[in-house]
Amino acid sequence: MTTTIYVPCDTTARSLGADAVAARLTRAAERLGVDIQLKRNGSRGLFWLEPLVEIETAAGRVAYGPVAPTDVDALVDAGLFEGRQEHGLALGDIEAHPYLARQQRLTFSRIGLTDPLSLEDYTTRQGFDGLKQALALTPQGIVDEVKASGLRGRGGAAFPTGIKWQTVHDTPAAQKYIVCNADEGDSGTFADRLVMECDPFMLIEGMTIAGLAVGATQGYIYLRSEYPLAQTMLDEAIVRAEAAGYLGENILDSGHAFHLEVRLGAGAYICGEETSLLESLEGKRGLVRAKPPLPAIEGLFGQPTVVNNVLSLAAVPFILDQGGQAYADYGMGKSRGTLALQLAGNVARGGLVELAFGTTLRELMESFGGGTRSGRPLKAVQVGGPLGAYLPQSQWDTPLDYEAFAAFGGVVGHGGVVMFDDSVDMGAQARFAMEFCAVESCGKCTPCRIGAVRGVEVIDRIRAGDAADDNLVLLADLCETMVDGSLCAMGGMTPFPVQSVMKHFPDDLTRPQAEGGR
Amino acid sequence: MSHPTPQPADTALAAQLQAVIDQHAARPGAMLPLLHAIQAQHGYIPDAAVPMIAEALRHTRAEVHGIISFYHHFRTHPPGRHVIQVCRAEACQAVGARALEAHVKSALGVDYHETTANREFTLEPVYCLGNCACGPSLRVDDEIHGRMDAAGFDRLTAQLSATVVEVK
């Protein structure tokens, strides 16, 4: 009898030795004469347990983790191939783990269960059911379904996806485009990467549906160059989807065409901003464009273009398969559906947590995250990437909802939650926010290009105790100028983390530094 | 402007570059795919490529140079045998990336954008590798390594290096 063993193949599992674990399992099986089939599945997103090995048994899958390469022989001796659970790393049925059982996985329902590149695995778990539903609808019918779902852009701006699609649908043009923003540059985020590495057909399906809805026949996935594995997976998934008739000139014999191509970015954070991304796709420097015109009217190569984040497009197959209302049934207020939260930084149980909007930050960090990895008290948390404010304890009871965060000047952004323990120097974090902007500014507008450089200098002076009070006034003024005067969110939001440090952690900013304060 | 007697090596390089350019030039928005292809082949964008790309894509040389220099990913000098990128972003900072960064620089004896004297390693900063729950992270060529610390880094470079890395 063949025993099926799963060893995840995503970047995180591999960064912790999954390939070596897989190799050792194969050697152990050969040594013992056990007939195994090793499957490289996606990660389930419980990253503190990676590499998470699972064995298929008569009673279901049995999990072990985190398995270091050096644990393999002892695990095999303790009956891993038979699914025995005496070893200390045995976890039993991972789906019963509260971390997973308490989630509401609509978008991430398949990750970790399947071989990411197996069309058979994909289609046996509702894969392409949404596309089939879409093919039975009119383009307007598809747009209406997305509108009914209440889906808002998951990249961070939270613009209603259905309205964007309607604009592109209503704008006549010989050629329209679907562009997927896969330039997931925010520190603390990895949900896009998980979609692309662990369930790439879902993104292909979502983009194809978008193409049908608005009348676009060409799609581009603009992928950051920091994700080499995602590129490999997407390229192969596209080849396989084309060969099986899910992409190409005649999708599932419907007469509709949709072509898809991965385009690699080149290490520029600003290219996650949609107009800068379009410039880059056109082969130029990634300079931000003034809006209007909206990309939905004049986008890629001047044509009407849907630019959506990976997670927005990945939510679409579920919405078309189950109906917009089924998605809208989750969430609160104007934030409908689920949000892919990513627990990162100094966290004991980091990973992907997909939940309906409305959970509080504290609940997420404590009952899912389990506090800090270091075991020290939590001091600050940055939500929404490098342009998001640092939140002190008094704000941790805020529900994760676009409007609730906006009410105090916070952003949910792409759902990244980066936790810091009490050893963090918040003055250094404020300085880094300005430094990052100086490195990554596209240079088009002055408040961002010059402001970030001056921001680093002013913070250095404050930290050196050089006329600190005067320089704090100057810093406050500079932040205001950047917020009000920048062309896009890069310069316009870089002050948010700085202002939050000035407001909530002022002592860290003015405390004299030992050496240089970097 | 012109080189009347190109060296044989230059001719070979030009032919290689031209082949890559011809392969990509007709694609819509060909510039980035083209630059990626050249860097994949040579490890960097040779100066000789600039006028050739300019001609193929009907740009000025200044425009091509401006594009290459805009993107952090593109190099204009040959890298060492391995490229090491250390994540400097917040999630890694929260678990010790600043200390790791300092160790890496002193162990290799180079700063960012520099190559070790033995041409083994080029060091670059990177802002997020998407491995944020298991930092500090670094990338060596196309492989990501998580939960990295000073000892782990020393083991890694010892494995990678044909010779023992000299601590200066």
Side-chain angles (χ1 to χ4, degrees):
Chain A
M1 198 191 80
T2 306
T3 307
T4 305
I5 303 187
Y6 298 88
V7 181
C9 67
D10 91 302
T11 290
T12 292
R14 295 177 69 178
S15 83
L16 301 170
D19 290 349
V21 168
R24 287 198 187 211
L25 283 167
T26 305
R27 278 207 299 278
E30 280 167 8
R31 177 164 49 86
L32 298 171
V34 180
D35 183 16
I36 65 163
Q37 186 203 6
L38 188 80
K39 256 184 123 163
R40 299 303 297 267
N41 58 330
S43 170
R44 291 183 182 259
L46 281 59
F47 284 147
W48 83 100
L49 295 176
E50 291 292 356
L52 182 85
V53 175
E54 290 182 85
I55 311 293
E56 191 84 62
T57 73
R61 289 192 192 180
V62 175
Y64 305 82
V67 179
T70 47
D71 294 326
V72 169
D73 288 342
L75 276 163
V76 169
D77 288 346
L80 174 130
F81 288 142
E82 296 86 55
R84 295 214 320 260
Q85 300 185 41
E86 286 103 66
H87 195 281
L89 294 178
L91 298 161
D93 174 10
I94 199 68
E95 290 187 29
H97 195 293
Y99 199 92
L100 258 184
R102 293 172 54 209
Q103 296 194 31
Q104 288 142 320
R105 287 200 166 175
L106 307 185
T107 298
F108 290 91
S109 63
R110 263 178 309 263
I111 64 157
L113 291 169
T114 57
D115 169 352
L117 293 175
S118 163
L119 270 168
E120 191 190 341
D121 280 11
Y122 187 64
T123 50
T124 51
R125 294 179 188 271
Q126 288 84 47
F128 291 117
D129 287 359
L131 176 62
K132 287 173 192 157
Q133 294 290 338
L135 284 168
L137 295 171
T138 61
Q140 185 60 52
I142 302 173
V143 174
D144 288 343
E145 215 49 68
V146 173
K147 279 186 187 164
S149 75
L151 178 66
R152 292 164 69 181
R154 295 287 188 259
F159 187 82
T161 305
I163 294 184
K164 189 183 279 185
W165 287 21
Q166 186 72 62
T167 308
V168 179
H169 171 275
D170 293 346
T171 307
Q175 178 68 59
K176 301 179 187 180
Y177 296 100
I178 307 297
V179 171
C180 172
N181 184 344
D183 195 52
E184 185 177 50
D186 287 358
S187 175
T189 63
F190 41 74
D192 293 354
R193 177 179 67 71
L194 276 176
V195 167
M196 295 184 285
E197 291 179 356
C198 303
D199 206 5
F201 293 120
M202 176 169 56
L203 178 59
I204 293 171
E205 183 180 355
M207 290 185 73
T208 308
I209 294 168
L212 293 171
V214 304
T217 53
Q218 177 68 48
Y220 291 102
I221 300 172
Y222 185 88
L223 174 69
R224 62 199 304 257
S225 56
E226 291 85 347
Y227 284 180
L229 182 60
Q231 184 192 12
T232 308
M233 299 300 262
L234 284 170
D235 280 342
E236 180 60 27
I238 288 170
V239 167
R240 293 188 188 191
E242 261 169 6
Y246 294 106
L247 279 175
E249 268 310 307
N250 185 13
I251 301 160
L252 295 179
D253 291 325
S254 65
H256 294 286
F258 191 69
H259 302 274
L260 191 51
E261 189 183 330
V262 177
R263 285 292 176 94
L264 214 51
Y269 178 76
I270 192 61
C271 291
E273 195 283 333
E274 63 175 1
T275 62
S276 161
L277 184 157
L278 294 173
E279 289 286 297
S280 184
L281 260 183
E282 291 181 5
K284 305 169 191 165
R285 291 187 291 157
L287 294 187
V288 172
R289 293 179 187 169
K291 288 193 276 194
L294 296 172
I297 293 164
E298 278 182 47
L300 185 63
F301 304 116
Q303 301 304 309
T305 303
V306 169
V307 186
N308 278 154
N309 174 253
V310 173
L311 295 180
S312 312
L313 290 160
V316 167
F318 174 93
I319 291 166
L320 267 292
D321 180 29
Q322 306 283 316
Q325 189 55 48
Y327 192 76
D329 284 345
Y330 294 85
M332 67 179 277
K334 284 193 265 178
S335 302
R336 309 312 309 178
T338 56
L339 178 63
L341 293 151
Q342 298 130 81
L343 279 169
N346 198 330
V347 57
R349 297 196 295 260
L352 178 93
V353 181
E354 182 178 359
L355 286 173
F357 285 90
T359 312
T360 69
L361 194 53
R362 189 189 299 275
E363 162 84 1
L364 180 72
M365 294 192 295
E366 289 175 0
S367 61
F368 283 93
T372 61
R373 191 202 295 179
S374 62
R376 298 175 66 102
L378 192 59
K379 177 168 174 176
V381 54
Q382 187 177 34
V383 181
L387 310 179
Y390 286 99
L391 312 181
Q393 188 156 11
S394 59
Q395 292 173 335
W396 298 346
D397 292 308
T398 310
L400 286 150
D401 161 85
Y402 294 126
E403 277 68 36
F405 265 65
F408 68 84
V411 286
V412 172
H414 189 49
V417 175
V418 179
M419 293 160 58
F420 292 80
D421 74 11
D422 64 352
S423 66
V424 65
D425 171 358
M426 296 307 295
Q429 298 310 118
R431 184 189 193 277
F432 180 78
M434 287 291 189
E435 185 189 355
F436 181 67
C437 184
V439 173
E440 297 294 342
S441 172
C442 84
K444 183 158 180 168
C445 73
T446 315
C448 177
R449 184 183 67 244
I450 308 286
V453 176
R454 295 291 170 260
V456 173
E457 293 167 0
V458 173
I459 292 174
D460 279 347
R461 284 202 291 274
I462 293 167
R463 283 159 67 78
D466 175 3
D469 290 344
D470 290 348
N471 278 307
L472 278 168
V473 174
L474 198 59
L475 182 60
D477 189 47
L478 175 66
C479 284
E480 213 174 293
T481 303
M482 289 175 72
V483 170
D484 294 340
S486 298
L487 200 54
C488 82
M490 179 89 228
M493 289 171 63
T494 284
F496 291 178
V498 180
Q499 289 168 322
S500 68
V501 171
M502 294 172 77
K503 186 170 174 188
H504 302 294
F505 308 96
D507 295 349
D508 274 20
L509 196 56
T510 50
R511 188 179 304 123
Q513 291 307 300
E515 32 84 42
R518 310 255 158 150
Chain B
M1 200 85 108
S2 64
H3 300 278
T5 50
Q7 299 301 304
D10 290 348
T11 317
L13 175 64
Q16 277 180 349
L17 290 169
Q18 196 60 52
V20 178
I21 291 169
D22 292 345
Q23 198 186 333
H24 293 278
R27 298 169 73 180
M31 183 64 81
L32 262 65
L34 182 47
L35 293 173
H36 275 296
I38 292 173
Q39 184 153 307
Q41 191 173 61
H42 299 276
Y44 71 111
I45 313 288
D47 286 343
V50 174
M52 297 171 71
I53 297 169
E55 171 144 346
L57 300 185
R58 297 199 182 91
H59 281 41
T60 65
R61 293 181 189 191
E63 282 168 338
V64 176
H65 172 77
I67 292 163
I68 293 169
S69 63
F70 180 87
Y71 293 98
H72 301 307
H73 179 82
F74 297 125
R75 290 179 212 102
T76 50
H77 298 284
R81 202 157 66 92
H82 299 288
V83 175
I84 298 179
Q85 296 184 320
V86 179
C87 179
R88 296 194 70 215
E90 290 87 345
C92 284
Q93 289 168 3
V95 284
R98 286 191 175 91
L100 177 66
E101 174 180 50
H103 174 80
V104 168
K105 287 182 183 179
S106 90
L108 297 180
V110 295
D111 205 338
Y112 286 129
H113 310 293
E114 293 178 359
T115 300
T116 55
N118 62 6
R119 310 281 318 157
E120 276 292 300
F121 302 110
T122 294
L123 184 62
E124 292 177 351
V126 69
Y127 297 91
C128 197
L129 294 164
N131 197 31
C132 315
C134 300
S137 301
L138 55 81
R139 174 174 172 177
V140 181
D141 305 324
D142 272 354
E143 279 195 19
I144 318 288
H145 299 265
R147 291 199 198 112
M148 192 48 67
D149 56 15
F153 179 77
D154 293 345
R155 275 196 303 277
L156 184 65
T157 46
Q159 282 165 14
L160 288 167
S161 193
T163 54
V164 177
V165 177
E166 287 284 324
V167 178
K168 62 162 185 170

